């Protein structure tokens, strides 16, 4: 079994077109976001509802809704990068549309790398600042509005 580093993984922004199925996501047009330093965990948190029975004195838990956690993408600021330009446009205050997103992992031994799709609103463009030796960074928060579509390598 082999494991791989995150080096060469990419993240892309698509359009606001349909994106609730794998085939809709694959049909979309995506632009790679350049100079990505990191992105946070891609997670879809399962919530649980509880019920405590008087008879047994036990609290039971049942699966209930899921909540897509927000994804933070940190990039080295490049004002001419097409992907970063698309992120900034999507983060505009008046933009409420959800965008299709694609993450492609670096599975070098695979004929097709693992790809994860999700859909969300882009916001919270933040320039974190720094000191004299720091690179200029920009952070964007992307909501996860519908969970993930995982396309495992074939």
């Amino acid at each position: 079994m082999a494991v791989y580093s995150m080096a060469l993984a990419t993240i892309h922004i698509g359009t606001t077109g349909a994106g609730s199925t794998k085939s809709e996501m694959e049909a979309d047009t995506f632009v790679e976001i350049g100079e990505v330093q990191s992105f946070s965990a891609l997670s879809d948190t399962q919530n649980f509802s509880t019920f405590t029975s008087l008879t047994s004195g036990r609290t039971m838990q049942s699966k209930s809704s899921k909540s897509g956690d927000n994804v933070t993408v940190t990039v080295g600021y490049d004002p001419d990068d097409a992907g970063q330009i698309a992120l900034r446009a999507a983060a505009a205050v008046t933009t409420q549309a959800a965008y299709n997103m694609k993450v492609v992992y670096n599975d070098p031994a695979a004929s097709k790398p693992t790809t994860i799709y999700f859909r969300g609103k882009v916001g919270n463009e933040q320039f974190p600042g720094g000191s004299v030796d720091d690179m200029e960074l920009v952070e964007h928060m992307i909501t996860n509005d519908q969970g993930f579509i995982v396309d495992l390598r074939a």
Side-chain angles (χ1 to χ4, degrees), residues 42-108:
L42 305 176
S43 59
D44 203 17
T45 302
Q46 178 71 60
N47 296 316
F48 292 87
S49 297
T50 60
F51 170 78
T52 304
S53 170
L54 289 175
T55 307
S56 68
R58 298 287 303 173
T59 298
M60 295 172 263
Q61 298 185 36
S62 295
K63 286 184 178 181
S64 57
S65 63
K66 284 191 173 183
S67 174
D69 297 335
N70 295 336
V71 177
T72 300
V73 177
T74 303
V75 299
Y77 181 56
D78 179 354
D80 297 321
D81 179 76
Q84 290 187 33
I85 291 168
L87 270 179
R88 282 193 297 280
V93 175
T94 58
T95 302
Q96 293 296 322
Y99 287 77
N100 296 329
M101 304 297 296
K102 175 173 77 169
V103 175
V104 180
Y105 283 93
N106 177 31
D107 302 324

Side-chain angles (χ1 to χ4, degrees), residues 108-126:
S111 59
K112 177 181 163 192
T114 300
T115 302
I116 299 176
Y117 298 99
F118 67 102
R119 186 171 174 80
K121 296 172 189 72
V122 181
N124 293 1
E125 181 177 44
Q126 178 180 344

